[in-house]
Amino acid sequence: KEASFKIEIRASLEGLRLAWKKGIHQLELESDNVLLIETIVEGVAEDNQLMELRRIHQMVCRGWKVCFRHLPRTHNAVVDHMAKVMASRFTEIQVFEFPPHSMRDLVQEDYSRSSKANEPIY
């Protein structure tokens, strides 16, 4: 569990870095990890021992709007599928400008489920 939490933290941080680098000034960060979302939203990340959580806090404090949303695992089929497919092939973060063809239906299903089920937390 601890390893997967650290992986989610790193993925969230890299996602924020990528968005900032691309000039995106408003975004939603979604995760099926309630503890991660609560840690960030409640401000606990600022003084956390994990360097990546402190960096997430620093990124969020920049001049942009970031909303955090807990997404139930059942609404996160794309991430689960990509993690399984990519884990055996790559050791670094992969960036997709567009979802691979094999995942377009999953993206649409996740979007439909998540847009109906949840409102942003922060």
Side-chain angles (χ1 to χ4, degrees):
K1 285 244 176 199
E2 184 178 331
S4 66
F5 184 70
K6 288 182 179 179
I7 290 168
E8 291 218 30
I9 293 169
R10 175 127 191 261
S12 297
L13 177 60
E14 292 302 324
L16 289 169
R17 285 180 177 159
L18 181 63
W20 184 261
K21 197 181 224 182
K22 289 184 166 271
I24 297 171
H25 298 287
Q26 185 173 338
L27 67 102
E28 289 185 19
L29 189 145
E30 298 175 338
S31 175
D32 60 16
N33 188 314
V34 176
L35 180 59
L36 174 61
I37 297 297
E38 288 178 354
T39 300
I40 296 168
V41 170
E42 293 175 8
V44 181
E46 180 178 12
D47 298 319
N48 197 286
Q49 290 181 351
L50 293 174
M51 178 178 53
E52 289 86 355
L53 276 174
R54 290 194 310 271
R55 287 193 176 146
I56 287 173
H57 174 76
Q58 292 168 352
M59 293 286 303
V60 171
C61 290
R62 293 180 176 182
W64 59 341
K65 181 178 179 184
V66 182
C67 293
F68 296 90
R69 182 192 312 219
H70 172 254
L71 194 65
R73 181 168 289 276
T74 57
H75 298 178
N76 211 2
V78 172
V79 172
D80 288 343
H81 180 74
M82 289 182 78
K84 289 173 189 169
V85 170
M86 298 301 149
S88 62
R89 298 184 198 169
F90 302 101
T91 57
E92 297 178 5
I93 292 175
Q94 300 295 306
V95 176
F96 296 93
E97 294 294 327
F98 301 100
H101 289 288
S102 64
M103 294 186 203
R104 291 194 179 162
D105 289 341
L106 287 174
V107 170
Q108 185 60 42
E109 289 172 24
D110 272 358
Y111 176 76
S112 295
R113 277 188 239 132
S114 68
S115 62
K116 293 175 186 173
N118 294 316
E119 294 298 318
I121 294 175
Y122 173 75

